[in-house]
Each structure stands twice: as C-alpha cells, then as structure tokens.
Amino acid sequence: MKKFIAATILITVLCSAAFAVLANSGPVFWKGYPSSDIMLIEENSPITVKNENLIFDFSDDNGSDYTIVGKVTATYEMANSADKPQSVQMAFPFVGRLNELSPNDITIVADGSSVPYDIFIGDIVDSYGASAQDKEPSFEFKDIVNTITYEPYKAENFAENEKGKLYTIYVKPINEQRINFAVDFNFDSKKTKVLTYGFNGYERNGNNVRIDTWCYKPEILQIYVLGEDINLNINAYTDGELSKKTDLFTHQILTKEVELKPYLMEYIRNNDYRKNNGMFSDIQLYNLYAKVLDNYFTENMGYSSEHDLYGYGNCQRILTLVYTVKFPDNSEKEVSVSYNASGTMDKRETSEPLYSFDYILNPAKNWEDFKNLNITIITPRKAPHIVKSSTRFTKGENNTYTATLSELPETDLSFTLYAHEKITLLDKIQGKLGRNLWHFTFLLIYAIVFMIIGIIIVKLILRSKKNRYI
C-alpha cells in the first residue's frame, strides 16, 4: 500500500512538471493596438499645425514579459491665423482598460499648463467579456467622433429614471456552518427584469430560476426587480446536490423602492475595478454599463448579475480624451499629449520576439494645414533595432532613430523592433526549431510520464500476483 501511495505521488509530481513546462512557456503572440494623432472634432477650423515632434521612448520599458510599453509624447506647434479668438475642441483616442487606467498615465499640456479633459468610452477591441451585440471596433476618425456624446444611453428594456424593488438579504450561517443559500423564483421576462448581486450559481428552466451561493460567514446579497414583482422561495443546503436542507442559518430581507440609475451607479462603484480612480464621469459609466445591462436583459431572458457587468471593466477598448484649447486671435500655442503605448509581440517565426507599433496619422489631415513631422524612437535594451518601418529612419547614438518629414506621409506610421539588427535566415530557423522543439519536449514529457505510469502499474500487478502464490 505504501509503495502504491509513493507511486501515486511520483505520478502527480511528473504530471505537475509537465504542466509547469506549459505554464512557463508563455505566449508566442500578444496583440497590441494602434495609437493616434490628435483629432479635430469640429470641421473647418482655422488652426494649423506648424510642427509636430513625436517621441516614442522605450528606454524605461515598464511592460510585461509579453510586450513592450513605452511613453509616447506628441508635441504640436499650433497657430491661429484668424482675426478672432478660437476655442478648439480636440480629441485623442487610444486603447486601454478602464480598471488599469491611472491619471498618471496621461498628460495634456498647453503652453506649460495642464489641460483638463473628459474620457469617453468607446468600442471593445478584444473579445473578453463582450456580448454578441458588440460590433466590430473601428479606428476611423468619424466613427470615433460619433462615440463622443454627453447624452445618456437610451435602453430598450428600462428607463434611467424607472423605479424598481430592491431586496437586500442578510444571511448568517449558525456556528460558521458552511451552507448553500438558494433563492427560487419565477418571472416573465416580458414583464420583469432581474439584476442580482452576490450570487455565484444560476440555473434556469423556462421562467423558473434558482440562484445560490456558498456562505461561510455573514453575507449581504441583493436582488433588484424591475417591472412586475417576484416571490422569493428561500432554502439552505449543506451539500452540493441541494438534497440536504438545513436550518442552521438566519436571514433577514429588507425591501425598498430604488430608481435604476442611482442604483446602477452605486452597484458599479462597489466593483473593485472602479475604486482605483475617478477618471470617468457618471454619464460615461452609466452609458457603458446601462448598455451592457440592456444587452444582457435581451440576450439572457431578462436576467443579469454582477459577473456579467464587471467583466467589461477589463476589456481592451477605444478610449477618447476630449479637451478644449483656447487660442487668442493671431496667436501660437504649444500643445503636448503624453501617454503609454504597448506593441504587438510576435515570436511565431523568429528566435526573439518582434515588437510592432502602429500610429495613426490620418486625423492630422483634418487641420487647416500640417507641416513638419519629426519622429524620434528611443529603443529598449531588449529590442534596440528597427528592422521594419513605414518611414525611413536614421540611426543615431544609443540606438536612437529619427526621421524628419516636411509633410504627412501617405500611410500611417508603423515600425518593428527586434533584438538583432537584421532578421536573418538563422533567426527564422532557430525560431521554428525552438517552437517545434517546445512541442516535441512537451509531448516527450507526457510520453515518459505515461510510460512510467505503465511500468509502475505492471510491476504492482506482477508483485501482487507473486505475493498471492507465496
């Protein structure tokens, strides 16, 4: 018996080693997203751009193991040639996550003074947390400008000032008994909408719904009902099969009438994603989560929970900064925008990762005139060389690359960084061999594991038969 236990432990260790190889391998491709020049929201502005200094600084790479993140600073020398003052609304789109964004990541300055800005929440660019009704993202200038609105979202399934009934349930296991707390109810999705908080389980059969959660300590749960009311049937169980009922708990239900918009805003603020900054206005947060809730009510027959909503704070999406710069008549100003940008990592065909960056220059064509684009790229130590670019660069000291253009190029800017000065045939061969070797090693480890398992089982069977005849 002891030998069997030892064999089981050995098998477990070997399998763990195999999974460790998988876990430590890391991805071979990591998607990055483009950055953009400043956009002019209103057309026919007399403001011209006399010069733009665009700097990509990767010298203090603070990215993950998967990609490179650098500071991008775009400084514009702008001129108002009109005989009257101009109040110019500008926009700057970028890709980011709501729950990761910090005020320290973004700086907007006009003639040395900070400029206040609003952030508008746009389309999702990845699939995490997205519902079927989310459309494909667009980086087109007009599409991004159309997402800039101060108007509240108009939902199909509710109104922002609609009032609903909030059930707040206080649950307390007795003697710290672990219980499965379950609530059963039924509702017609055409007449009732339900939003819950604190429940982990959800089962449904037609209009009949059961939600539940495991309680180890006192918990506060919520059920918010819009439309016709529901009847709650409450039980608790001591096993996962929900067959052993228990009365080793106490609970109290409080009800009150609550308007949807204030409740939804409080609901979102209780999410950890929203506690780290105050960068987004109430109207932007309401528009985002009201749309998500509206979609889920449509897709999920009138039911939603915090698990449906909170994942949207972790989505990569287009975010747009909107700010206003005032120009006196016949004046010039220097406007600067600074932010973080991450690139696409690709190690599918080379021995070292390729890091590619895209910068959308097309919005600059909307200014009255644009001249003199100066680009500087300060490369990181782990990828100090530009091996591919849409613009010809001159390499200087300390692996700094520069380009000077009198006008905007016909295409947007793109460049790729690499550990070596050129991508050689040897790099490509090593990349393919390394990738194939990893797959071979992984399969070999599993083959050895199962071979050892087979040998151990055979030996145990033979030893068992031998002992039987002694």
Side-chain angles (χ1 to χ4, degrees):
M1 184 66 182
K2 292 181 178 179
K3 291 182 179 179
F4 179 77
I5 294 173
T8 303
I9 293 173
L10 176 61
I11 292 169
T12 303
V13 171
L14 290 171
C15 289
S16 299
F19 280 113
V21 171
L22 175 63
N24 293 330
S25 64
V28 295
F29 184 84
W30 189 265
K31 178 68 176 175
Y33 299 96
S35 304
S36 173
D37 234 2
I38 286 180
M39 295 179 172
L40 181 67
I41 292 181
E42 296 179 359
E43 297 180 354
N44 303 319
S45 172
I47 304 299
T48 62
V49 178
K50 300 176 66 177
N51 191 77
E52 177 185 356
N53 292 320
L54 179 59
I55 300 174
F56 296 84
D57 188 353
F58 303 104
S59 58
D60 295 326
D61 170 35
N62 57 350
S64 66
D65 294 335
Y66 303 151
T67 188
I68 287 175
V69 176
K71 180 69 71 174
V72 179
T73 303
T75 303
Y76 306 82
E77 294 177 19
M78 296 181 170
N80 174 24
S81 57
D83 293 330
K84 61 179 181 178
Q86 300 290 326
S87 185
V88 182
Q89 196 174 38
M90 305 178 190
F92 168 70
F94 64 102
V95 174
R97 289 186 172 94
L98 272 66
N99 61 335
E100 293 181 354
L101 197 61
S102 166
N104 298 326
D105 295 336
I106 301 166
T107 304
I108 302 177
V109 175
D111 280 352
S113 299
S114 295
V115 177
Y117 56 82
D118 294 321
I119 304 181
F120 291 83
I121 303 171
D123 295 335
I124 292 173
V125 296
D126 64 15
S127 59
Y128 179 85
S131 73
Q133 296 189 24
D134 285 309
K135 60 182 181 180
E136 287 295 318
S138 172
F139 290 93
E140 292 294 327
F141 168 73
K142 290 183 178 180
D143 293 332
I144 291 176
V145 170
N146 287 338
T147 67
I148 300 172
T149 178
Y150 292 92
E151 295 297 319
Y153 173 76
K154 302 297 183 183
E156 295 181 4
N157 291 290
F158 53 81
E160 63 175 308
N161 59 352
E162 182 177 351
K163 291 186 177 180
K165 187 173 184 179
L166 175 63
Y167 292 87
T168 302
I169 308 172
Y170 299 87
V171 184
K172 183 180 180 181
I174 296 176
N175 299 326
E176 298 183 351
Q177 169 68 46
R178 178 177 180 268
I179 64 167
N180 184 273
F181 183 82
V183 181
D184 293 270
F185 56 90
N186 65 75
F187 71 99
D188 183 348
S189 61
K190 294 180 180 179
K191 300 177 181 179
T192 302
K193 305 292 183 289
V194 178
L195 174 62
T196 64
Y197 180 87
F199 294 91
N200 295 320
Y202 169 70
E203 298 178 22
R204 185 166 193 157
N205 183 10
N207 289 340
N208 298 315
V209 174
R210 168 173 285 182
I211 53 177
D212 64 87
T213 187
W214 286 99
C215 297
Y216 305 85
K217 56 183 177 54
E219 298 283 355
I220 301 176
L221 312 172
Q222 291 185 339
I223 301 174
Y224 183 61
V225 181
L226 292 168
E228 287 189 1
D229 200 6
I230 59 176
N231 294 317
L232 307 183
N233 181 24
I234 292 176
N235 291 287
Y237 306 85
T238 57
D239 68 337
E241 299 297 326
L242 305 184
S243 58
K244 297 179 181 179
K245 285 188 179 182
T246 181
D247 58 0
L248 295 176
F249 74 99
T250 61
H251 77 283
Q252 181 183 15
I253 302 177
L254 300 182
T255 62
K256 64 177 178 179
E257 195 175 55
V258 178
E259 192 172 300
L260 183 136
K261 184 177 179 179
Y263 175 69
L264 184 60
M265 296 308 300
E266 183 180 358
Y267 188 97
I268 296 305
R269 290 193 185 98
N270 286 334
N271 178 5
D272 287 341
Y273 293 161
R274 299 273 39 85
K275 292 180 180 178
N276 59 359
N277 65 66
M279 299 184 69
F280 300 94
S281 67
D282 282 356
I283 186 63
Q284 290 303 307
L285 289 177
Y286 173 77
N287 284 354
L288 169 62
Y289 289 102
K291 180 181 179 181
V292 175
L293 182 62
D294 195 24
N295 288 346
Y296 269 102
F297 279 164
T298 298
E299 296 172 1
N300 204 26
M301 296 177 63
Y303 177 86
S304 186
S305 72
E306 79 270 23
H307 308 294
D308 298 327
L309 273 62
Y310 287 170
Y312 276 75
N314 197 43
C315 291
Q316 289 270 22
R317 62 173 67 246
I318 298 174
L319 304 173
T320 305
L321 307 181
V322 177
Y323 54 97
T324 300
V325 177
K326 295 182 179 180
F327 292 81
D329 57 289
N330 297 301
S331 65
E332 294 186 2
K333 278 199 173 185
E334 183 180 271
V335 178
S336 177
V337 177
S338 183
Y339 59 96
N340 292 328
S342 60
T344 294
M345 185 277 287
D346 191 349
K347 198 182 176 183
R348 293 174 295 184
E349 302 294 336
T350 52
S351 59
E352 299 291 337
L354 291 164
Y355 300 98
S356 298
F357 294 82
D358 296 297
Y359 190 86
I360 301 174
L361 291 166
N362 289 332
K365 296 178 181 178
N366 291 280
W367 298 98
E368 177 71 16
D369 191 20
F370 188 104
K371 299 292 184 184
N372 303 321
L373 173 62
N374 308 297
I375 307 170
T376 301
I377 301 174
I378 305 171
T379 60
R381 283 178 293 180
K382 63 181 179 182
H385 304 285
I386 295 179
V387 292
K388 183 180 178 182
S389 65
S390 61
T391 299
R392 185 185 296 275
F393 283 91
T394 301
K395 186 176 182 179
E397 296 182 356
N398 300 320
N399 294 316
T400 297
Y401 292 79
T402 58
T404 301
L405 307 173
S406 59
E407 296 180 346
L408 284 172
E410 294 182 0
T411 60
D412 291 324
L413 174 64
S414 65
F415 59 90
T416 300
L417 306 177
Y418 192 54
H420 309 303
E421 196 164 2
K422 293 182 179 180
I423 302 174
T424 64
L425 178 60
L426 181 60
D427 282 325
K428 295 180 179 180
I429 293 173
Q430 287 177 341
K432 289 184 178 180
L433 285 176
R435 188 171 65 255
N436 293 334
L437 181 62
W438 179 85
H439 288 296
F440 175 76
T441 302
F442 183 69
L443 292 173
L444 181 62
I445 289 173
Y446 266 96
I448 293 172
V449 168
F450 285 110
M451 187 183 299
I452 293 173
I453 292 172
I455 292 171
I456 291 172
I457 291 173
V458 170
K459 284 188 175 183
L460 289 175
I461 292 173
L462 292 175
R463 185 162 297 178
S464 176
K465 288 183 178 179
K466 183 178 179 181
N467 291 336
R468 198 177 299 168
Y469 291 106
I470 295 175

